[in-house]
Amino acid sequence: MMNEDMDLPDESPILKVGEEKEIGKQGLKKKLLKEGEGWDTPENGDEVEVHYTGTLLDGTQFDSSRDKGTPFKFTLVKCSVYGNHVIVINANSRDGNIGVGQVIKGWDQGIKTMKKGENAIFTIPPELAYGASGSPPTIPPNATLQFDVELLSWTSVKDICKDGGIFKKILVEGEKWENPKDLDEVTVKYEALLEDGTVVAKSDGVEFTVKKGHFCPALSRAVKTMKKGEKVLLTVKPQYGFGEKGKPASADEGAVPPNATLQMTLELISWKTVSEVTDDKKVIKKILKEGEGYERPNDGAVVKLKLIGKLQDGTVFLKKGHDNEDEVFEFKTDEEQVIEGLDRAVMTMKKGEVALLTIAAEYAFGSSESQQELAVVPPNSTVYYEAELVSFVKEKESWDMNTQEKIEAAGKKKEEGNVLFKAGKYAKASKRYEKVLEMESRNVKALYRRAQAYIQLADLDVAEFDVKKALEIDPENRDVKLEYKTLKEKMREYNKKEAKFYGNMFSKMNKLGPVDSNKSVS
């Protein structure tokens, strides 16, 4: 059965000045005297700094940091880990040197509900204070206590791997809210020391890919939790440092003994965001300069770029907009006017963004040789573009069109879809029919054509949805009826193949016979 000590408050109570409420279900009460700043509250592991005055219910004062003239510092801990043991403040202590496990449970629970600068009175029952023993001579047995507490500040300390392997203490807060991801390239400053203060490694600026890491595993783990400009102090246990073997000295770095704990200061200076434009990871975009706002080109947008195209050996095969501002590279997205990788990557960019694009041959010029403006691109070449999105004009969305514009646009998209379908480009064709249906949701021909495209793509369930919807609108449509018949036959064939596949699989498993649980598996 769960111990009552684990019944902690899930969130801070919402209080008005002068109001008192119970926190949790163990009798702890909080009365708000002064509101704090913002919304953040300290968490387990954080180092907090407070002023307090402690009194009995009759008003007798037994301790006060205010009288000592020194703020009271301690680390918040999870109360449940102590079971029924009472953790106490040394009421007679004068040095203010308080560490983990040196405050009563009522403090740990109550202060987690406070904001910076907040002042509150906590009424703490004996079970969350000094219990039946009291704290002679100042606190009698079974005493309910009151603490007037002001939360001055706190320093965030996080167990970032949740296993005690890396503790992170924030020294300087970072900017915004984003954190680097595995593919991103980060630039950091760091210094690593042994527990005796010996410096074993230092860098005033090194760049590395998060996933590949640098120096020791802790760096990659830590930077993924950091914001730009953030500076932290890390306590790194051996499993995220150099483990049981340690590390020998090298030209630039000192030796790390076996099973050594490291202290590291780490600052995240900046990073370049790297993303996979396609699911198969064959079009990669690295942002060299962030763009403006949130808008990106849509299908059919007219885009203008400054563009340099290179081969792997550095040969430039295309250069537009750099020597002459008037010669920017212009094209319309999703119209097959450029290679697919460039088309798709540009639609992820913002105005003013500069990015380095790596495009595999499948999304570039394929297996054929291609004569470009300044050089020939050999067959099966991965190509590289440095692209700056100078400007773009989005294609008008259906919800911004009047009736006549919708009719004209739907007709145009339908014709484009038909051309693509005949060329065997079924995925692109389905997107055109989808645009038609955004403008004319009851267009039977568009539903019929999109169903045909989905059948070719073997997306039979979605095709059936389109066919059924078309028949709801026009039950007597001969072409749609015939397509439904074809679709049902394909679905039967698919189900037979699937049944045969699983039948063969189970037959093979049965031939293997039952596994004897008493026999060891070699």
Side-chain angles (χ1 to χ4, degrees):
M1 189 172 177
M2 188 177 290
N3 192 300
E4 282 188 352
D5 290 346
M6 297 183 72
D7 189 13
L8 300 181
D10 292 324
E11 57 185 31
S12 305
I14 298 171
L15 293 171
K16 296 177 182 176
V17 173
E19 188 178 5
E20 184 175 58
K21 282 188 180 179
E22 187 171 348
I23 301 172
K25 298 176 182 178
Q26 293 180 273
L28 175 64
K29 292 180 181 178
K30 174 182 176 181
K31 182 177 181 179
L32 185 64
L33 301 182
K34 175 190 164 190
E35 290 185 349
E37 306 168 11
W39 298 99
D40 291 337
T41 56
E43 299 175 4
N44 291 328
D46 290 353
E47 296 176 359
V48 299
E49 184 174 46
V50 302
H51 264 314
Y52 73 93
T53 300
T55 61
L56 304 177
L57 286 181
D58 65 6
T60 303
Q61 179 177 310
F62 57 83
D63 198 9
S64 173
S65 66
R66 295 180 177 99
D67 290 350
K68 297 171 189 173
T70 304
F72 185 42
K73 296 180 182 179
F74 68 99
T75 300
L76 287 171
V77 296
K78 193 170 183 178
C79 301
S80 58
V81 299
Y82 299 105
N84 291 316
H85 178 62
V86 177
I87 299 147
V88 300
I89 298 169
N90 180 355
N92 299 314
S93 172
R94 315 301 280 185
D95 59 10
N97 203 4
I98 308 298
V100 176
Q102 291 180 301
V103 296
I104 54 176
K105 295 177 188 177
W107 269 57
D108 269 322
Q109 292 187 27
I111 288 173
K112 288 173 193 172
T113 71
M114 299 182 76
K115 304 182 183 87
K116 184 179 178 182
E118 184 178 315
N119 190 189
I121 292 177
F122 293 99
T123 301
I124 304 178
E127 296 78 12
L128 299 178
Y130 298 92
S133 301
S135 182
T138 53
I139 299 172
N142 296 310
T144 295
L145 308 178
Q146 285 192 326
F147 285 92
D148 179 335
V149 181
E150 181 183 2
L151 179 57
L152 303 175
S153 64
W154 75 87
T155 302
S156 177
V157 180
K158 305 294 182 191
D159 178 1
I160 60 177
C161 296
K162 309 298 182 188
D163 61 1
I166 307 173
F167 285 96
K168 183 184 86 167
K169 178 178 179 179
I170 297 176
L171 304 177
V172 178
E173 292 285 349
E175 306 168 12
K176 300 183 180 178
W177 53 271
E178 301 100 328
N179 309 116
K181 306 293 187 295
D182 279 337
L183 296 176
D184 295 345
E185 295 179 4
V186 296
T187 301
V188 303
K189 291 181 181 179
Y190 72 91
E191 183 177 52
L193 299 87
L194 302 178
E195 288 183 293
D196 64 4
T198 302
V199 176
V200 292
K202 184 176 182 179
S203 174
D204 289 327
V206 63
E207 184 177 77
F208 63 92
T209 301
V210 174
K211 191 173 184 178
K212 291 181 180 177
H214 180 76
F215 183 62
C216 70
L219 281 189
S220 286
R221 296 276 189 153
V223 293
K224 288 202 286 186
T225 72
M226 296 172 68
K227 302 169 189 171
K228 183 181 177 183
E230 186 174 316
K231 188 174 181 180
V232 301
L233 176 64
L234 303 176
T235 300
V236 181
K237 297 297 181 181
Q239 64 264 39
Y240 294 103
F242 294 94
E244 296 177 356
K245 294 182 179 180
K247 183 184 80 71
S250 64
D252 301 322
E253 297 175 354
V256 177
N259 296 310
T261 294
L262 300 173
Q263 296 290 328
M264 299 184 69
T265 54
L266 175 64
E267 181 180 356
L268 178 56
I269 299 168
S270 63
W271 77 85
K272 298 183 182 89
T273 301
V274 179
S275 58
E276 296 164 347
V277 176
T278 56
D279 292 337
D280 57 9
K281 304 179 183 180
K282 292 186 176 179
V283 181
I284 304 293
K285 182 182 80 165
K286 176 165 73 175
I287 297 176
L288 304 179
K289 178 190 168 190
E290 292 287 344
E292 307 166 11
Y294 298 95
E295 292 283 314
R296 294 178 172 86
N298 60 354
D299 292 346
V302 176
V303 300
K304 292 183 179 180
L305 302 170
K306 289 183 180 180
L307 198 64
I308 300 175
K310 295 180 181 180
L311 301 177
Q312 195 163 11
D313 64 4
T315 300
V316 175
F317 62 82
L318 179 70
K319 191 172 185 181
K320 289 285 187 180
H322 287 271
D323 299 326
N324 185 342
E325 295 286 339
D326 295 329
E327 290 185 4
V328 292
F329 190 75
E330 182 177 325
F331 68 93
K332 195 172 185 180
T333 61
D334 201 38
E335 292 284 349
E336 300 189 313
Q337 295 179 3
V338 296
I339 59 171
E340 185 180 356
L342 179 60
D343 201 6
R344 291 177 66 166
V346 166
M347 285 195 282
T348 70
M349 296 176 70
K350 302 172 187 174
K351 182 182 176 182
E353 182 178 318
V354 180
L356 181 63
L357 311 175
T358 303
I359 304 174
E362 295 91 323
Y363 292 91
F365 300 98
S367 57
S368 303
E369 181 177 279
S370 178
Q371 176 65 55
Q372 294 295 296
E373 189 177 86
L374 301 176
V376 173
V377 176
N380 302 309
S381 293
T382 294
V383 294
Y384 305 85
Y385 288 96
E386 185 177 308
E388 178 181 348
L389 183 54
V390 177
S391 65
F392 62 91
V393 179
K394 294 178 77 170
E395 182 171 72
K396 204 169 188 179
E397 301 286 3
S398 58
W399 54 81
D400 290 326
M401 296 180 184
N402 59 37
T403 304
Q404 186 57 38
E405 286 174 328
K406 284 182 180 179
I407 293 169
E408 291 173 5
K412 183 182 174 185
K413 293 293 179 187
K414 188 167 66 176
E415 289 306 314
E416 290 174 1
N418 293 344
V419 171
L420 289 164
F421 186 90
K422 287 173 184 174
K425 297 173 180 178
Y426 304 115
K428 283 184 174 289
S430 69
K431 284 176 70 178
R432 294 298 192 279
Y433 299 133
E434 194 171 312
K435 286 286 185 182
V436 175
L437 292 165
E438 282 179 13
M439 294 175 272
E440 298 176 355
S441 61
R442 295 176 65 81
N443 189 311
V444 173
K445 283 189 178 179
L447 286 165
Y448 167 65
R449 291 292 189 191
R450 188 169 71 169
Q452 287 185 310
Y454 283 140
I455 289 171
Q456 295 298 325
L457 293 166
D459 205 341
L460 303 183
D461 290 336
V462 183
E464 185 179 30
F465 177 84
D466 279 355
V467 169
K468 285 182 174 179
K469 189 170 181 183
L471 287 173
E472 281 177 19
I473 299 165
D474 186 0
E476 302 305 318
N477 189 299
R478 183 172 174 275
D479 289 337
V480 179
K481 282 182 175 180
L482 286 171
E483 197 63 39
Y484 197 16
K485 187 178 178 181
T486 302
L487 175 61
K488 283 183 174 177
E489 287 172 4
K490 284 187 175 290
M491 291 179 87
R492 276 195 292 270
E493 287 173 20
Y494 175 79
N495 289 335
K496 279 181 186 177
K497 285 179 182 176
E498 197 173 48
K500 187 178 180 181
F501 170 77
Y502 284 110
N504 290 339
M505 185 174 73
F506 289 128
S507 175
K508 287 176 182 176
M509 289 173 67
N510 288 332
K511 284 179 182 177
L512 292 172
V515 176
D516 188 343
S517 60
N518 294 318
K519 291 182 179 179
S520 62
V521 180
S522 60

